[in-house]
Amino acid sequence: MIETPTLVDQYCHGVLRTELGLGTFEAHLGRTAGPPAPGTTFFDTQTGFAVRRWCPPLLGLEPHCPPARYLARRRELGVLESGRRLLRASGISTYLVDTGMPGDLTGPDEIAAAGDARAHEIVRLELLAEQVADTSGTVDALLANLAEAVHGAAATAVAFISVAGVRQGFAAPEPPGPGEVRGAAGRWLAGRRVGDRLTDPVLLRHLLWIAVSTGRPLQLQVGVEDPMPLGDFAAATAGLGTDLVLLHGYPYHRQAAHLASVFPHVYADLGPVLAQTGARAAAVLAETLEPAPFGKLLFSSGAHGLPELHVVAAAVFRSALGRVLGDWVGDGAWSLTDAQRVATMIASGTARRIYGLG
């Protein structure tokens, strides 16, 4: 039997501090920005079924109990106590928290206290740049303050993340020239209002290269985009001392794993796809394990808003990993010792190595 050690959740968000009604809770189970279609429910998804499988017993209910009963018990315990019970039962020992999401979400210290765990901050580059722009009145001030802010954040952050950079920043993989950067900064400041998002591809590329210069790991949110165009950026950053971690690559998980196999400094995150695929998670995990070196894959929940999503991600990951590696051991393809070693790599060991965690 494969024993999965405590987990490092190498990418997640905080959980909501407020009590949730059925509709609000359900909205966090979906993968769209809006509500479910009329006559349907997000509980009728692999994620919804997984929540009903794994979470009710942690609050004193039977598995698969109706959603209304589960949420009534959640309200009875209160948001703090239910969150504490759920997080502490997840088996996650360390959370790396992207603090750039809006909403009334717990920060790293709060989720660490609730989960009796450790937590570290991941700094979102676009948000940092927007905050700098809000207080920089000239191009020279913006560019100087931006470099200072990124290097200053690197002193305490465990990693940086870029969300828009993959979609907007890779028209060319190399750093933009000084003239390009000044022109883009001038245009952005001239037309910008406080709170406007950074979408300029030149500034995004400039921002990514500042982050690369710090040596901190750089997480790139791939989402549903094919990550293969990142190959040129990966080639350009090879040997510079910065690891790249590709986030949320499904349904292009094989392509993300392929890039991790080609470039020594590129890693692939398993992310919330295992929770989203639920009963089919073992098949998706096995596909990811096909092209990638095993030490280049990392567990994360990608959870946002609900502590249940941390629980489900951890439980489904353990179950899927146990099934896949257990079958290979049973077939004689792997030894149990090797399977246990690989399980530890993916669960926590690789994250501890590349993020310098104790």
Side-chain angles (χ1 to χ4, degrees):
M1 180 179 178
I2 310 301
E3 295 182 5
T4 306
T6 56
L7 305 173
V8 172
D9 189 346
Q10 75 98 36
Y11 180 78
C12 66
H13 307 279
V15 300
L16 289 163
R17 299 185 178 97
T18 52
E19 299 285 359
L20 302 179
L22 180 61
T24 307
F25 185 96
E26 181 183 355
H28 283 83
L29 300 178
R31 298 166 70 178
T32 65
T40 71
T41 170
F42 286 141
F43 276 102
D44 285 338
T45 60
Q46 292 282 8
T47 303
F49 273 38
V51 166
R52 291 176 54 216
R53 160 64 180 89
W54 296 104
C55 296
L58 304 180
L59 302 188
L61 300 172
E62 72 280 5
H64 308 296
C65 74
R69 186 178 178 202
Y70 176 76
L71 290 178
R73 175 59 174 162
R74 201 179 190 272
R75 289 192 296 272
E76 178 186 327
L77 291 170
V79 66
L80 294 179
E81 177 61 16
S82 59
R84 186 187 70 82
R85 292 190 185 191
L86 291 162
L87 291 173
R88 293 189 180 197
S90 70
I92 296 171
S93 65
T94 306
Y95 297 90
L96 307 191
V97 185
D98 174 2
T99 56
M101 287 287 284
D104 187 22
L105 301 173
T106 56
D109 290 344
E110 291 171 278
I111 199 169
D116 191 23
R118 296 181 178 181
H120 304 274
E121 182 181 18
I122 301 168
V123 170
R124 187 173 290 215
L125 287 170
E126 291 85 355
L127 179 61
L128 184 63
E130 290 152 13
Q131 292 170 340
V132 168
D134 288 342
T135 58
S136 300
T138 67
V139 169
D140 287 337
L142 172 62
L143 297 180
N145 293 342
L146 188 58
E148 182 179 355
V150 174
H151 283 274
T156 56
V158 75
F160 292 104
I161 179 173
S162 175
V163 176
V166 174
R167 296 189 299 272
Q168 304 287 344
F170 289 108
E174 69 276 358
E180 280 186 277
V181 174
R182 288 188 63 83
R187 291 190 297 273
W188 191 41
L189 284 181
R192 186 176 185 276
R193 294 175 296 180
V194 172
D196 283 355
R197 296 290 176 253
L198 174 59
T199 58
D200 183 273
V202 172
L203 288 180
L204 285 169
R205 208 161 86 243
H206 177 62
L207 191 61
L208 291 171
W209 279 97
I210 297 176
V212 167
S213 73
T214 70
R216 287 291 186 191
L218 174 59
Q219 299 179 343
L220 300 171
Q221 191 170 94
V222 177
V224 296
E225 304 290 331
D226 184 345
M228 293 305 290
L230 292 175
D232 289 342
F233 181 70
T237 55
L240 298 183
T242 295
D243 291 319
L244 307 180
V245 183
L246 308 183
L247 299 180
H248 307 351
Y250 187 79
Y252 295 100
H253 48 293
R254 278 177 162 155
Q255 287 86 339
H258 170 73
L259 288 175
S261 75
V262 172
F263 298 100
H265 65 306
V266 175
Y267 294 78
D269 164 69
L270 296 175
V273 62
L274 298 184
Q276 291 167 355
T277 51
R280 288 283 298 162
V284 175
L285 177 60
E287 290 174 351
T288 309
L289 286 166
E290 289 172 7
F294 308 127
K296 305 294 288 297
L297 301 175
L298 303 101
F299 163 78
S300 81
S301 68
H304 167 241
L306 302 180
E308 284 84 356
L309 298 180
H310 293 278
V311 171
V312 165
V316 173
F317 167 73
R318 284 193 177 93
S319 175
L321 192 66
R323 288 172 60 189
V324 172
L325 300 190
D327 284 349
W328 295 346
V329 170
D331 290 343
W334 286 32
S335 72
L336 180 59
T337 300
D338 281 339
Q340 192 63 65
R341 183 169 56 84
V342 169
T344 301
M345 285 182 201
I346 300 172
S348 61
T350 298
R352 294 189 183 284
R353 174 169 55 82
I354 68 173
Y355 295 110
L357 305 176

